[in-house]
Amino acid sequence: RKRVVEDILTVKCPKCAQAFVDFDGCFALQCGRCGCGFCAWCGKHCDKDAHAHVGKCLFSQARGNLFGSLKQFDAALKRRRVRDLRHFLRGVDAGMREPIVEALNRDLKDLG
């Protein structure tokens, strides 16, 4: 449970793993700890500046636009979390998937 919550459900810097909590409307995020630039749509590490990537990100719901609403940000995170959780569960023994999802039930409520 802890690994899924920390590695999949928590938005964090792809370089230093610092949890990310501030969204100012720009989907080109920057870590306050290490300065890493990363994409809010897909989570891609983009060195110091994610602006070029965000404008053409395949996961963007507003291609070409760097900015979006908190509602779009939350929806993007939800899609990313679902995608990453499915990927993680595919690598888990079939007999362990249900107990893992059950243990995460409270944490997964907002994913639907």
Side-chain angles (χ1 to χ4, degrees), residues 11-20 29-31 34 36-39 42-47 80:
V11 179
K12 60 185 179 179
C13 172
K15 183 176 178 184
C16 75
Q18 170 71 29
F20 182 84
L29 306 177
Q30 188 164 29
C31 178
C34 73
C36 170
F38 60 104
C39 178
C42 69
K44 179 181 172 145
H45 178 298
C46 300
D47 292 319
R80 210 166 90 205

Side-chain angles (χ1 to χ4, degrees), residues 56-76:
K56 60 184 181 194
C57 179
L58 298 177
F59 293 96
S60 172
Q61 299 295 301
R63 195 131 334 125
N65 188 356
L66 299 175
F67 295 92
S69 67
L70 182 57
K71 184 177 179 180
Q72 287 175 309
F73 178 73
D74 289 341

Side-chain angles (χ1 to χ4, degrees), residues 1-105:
R1 177 187 173 271
K2 183 179 178 185
R3 178 173 182 264
V4 171
V5 171
E6 289 179 2
D7 293 344
I8 295 174
L9 301 181
T10 301
V11 179
K12 60 185 179 179
C13 172
K15 183 176 178 184
C16 75
Q18 170 71 29
F20 182 84
V21 293
D22 297 324
F23 176 69
D24 64 2
C26 182
F27 276 71
L29 306 177
Q30 188 164 29
C31 178
R33 178 192 282 169
C34 73
C36 170
F38 60 104
C39 178
W41 293 113
C42 69
K44 179 181 172 145
H45 178 298
C46 300
D47 292 319
K48 295 286 182 193
D49 188 358
H51 290 87
H53 169 80
V54 168
K56 60 184 181 194
C57 179
L58 298 177
F59 293 96
S60 172
Q61 299 295 301
R63 195 131 334 125
N65 188 356
L66 299 175
F67 295 92
S69 67
L70 182 57
K71 184 177 179 180
Q72 287 175 309
F73 178 73
D74 289 341
L77 293 183
K78 181 178 177 178
R79 284 189 300 275
R80 210 166 90 205
R81 288 171 175 144
V82 168
R83 184 181 72 239
D84 292 351
L85 182 59
R86 285 183 177 148
H87 177 75
F88 168 77
L89 290 172
R90 279 194 295 271
V92 172
D93 180 58
M96 289 300 300
R97 290 179 193 150
E98 190 173 328
I100 290 171
V101 171
E102 202 169 294
L104 290 164
N105 191 32

